[in-house]
Amino acid sequence: MTNNILAKENIRLNTTVGSKEEAIRLTGSILVERGYVDANYIEKMLEREELTSTYMGNFVAIPHGTEDSKEFVKESGISFIQVPQGVDFGGGNIVKLLIGIAGKNNEHLDILSNIAIVCSEEENIEKLVNATTADEIIAIFEGVN
């Protein structure tokens, strides 16, 4: 994954969030701050969550916009939030890693497949949950080719 998609500035470590909605809003606000998406994208992320949960298992959620949110995406990017205490995503699903995605054109599919590869290994999840620097997070994702 190239650095402009997951930069150090896109990563928040040791975060505490009170709810699933707050977690998704924070994930989206990083994408907005960093210029990947318009602010309207956050509402589309929440809408997407209403349709079907973005919880993927293994303490990971991948919030992203609905199909019709593409107009709000300026360029592909990822936000990464580590929530060591976890946040309840409903149904007893606890999320410790939130990976927000904005994909331009069809780039989100490549981004998703990279994330899926990393997050399919429990060892990587543990490293991501316990990472203490943004560099550690980036190194884990860059290890996938």
Side-chain angles (χ1 to χ4, degrees), residues 51-107:
L51 294 171
T52 180
S53 179
T54 55
Y55 175 74
M56 299 298 168
N58 250 356
F59 302 112
V60 178
I62 305 179
H64 54 284
T66 55
E67 277 301 307
D68 64 352
S69 63
K70 290 178 175 46
E71 62 183 299
F72 304 123
V73 178
K74 298 178 194 171
E75 64 177 296
S76 294
I78 291 177
S79 57
F80 183 97
I81 301 174
Q82 179 198 66
V83 185
Q85 284 75 42
V87 59
D88 188 349
F89 254 59
N93 298 321
I94 301 300
V95 170
K96 295 184 178 187
L97 301 172
L98 289 135
I99 304 169
I101 296 180
K104 193 79 179 145
N105 306 320
N106 287 323
E107 288 178 19

Side-chain angles (χ1 to χ4, degrees), residues 28 31-39 41-42 72-75 102:
L31 294 171
V32 173
E33 276 166 32
R34 302 278 299 135
Y36 299 111
V37 298
D38 289 327
Y41 189 75
I42 296 173
F72 304 123
V73 178
K74 298 178 194 171
E75 64 177 296

Side-chain angles (χ1 to χ4, degrees), residues 112-131:
L112 270 172
S113 91
N114 263 350
I115 292 168
I117 292 166
V118 170
C119 294
S120 67
E121 308 255 342
E122 278 184 39
E123 182 188 329
N124 286 339
I125 301 290
E126 208 169 302
K127 285 180 189 168
L128 291 167
V129 170
N130 295 316

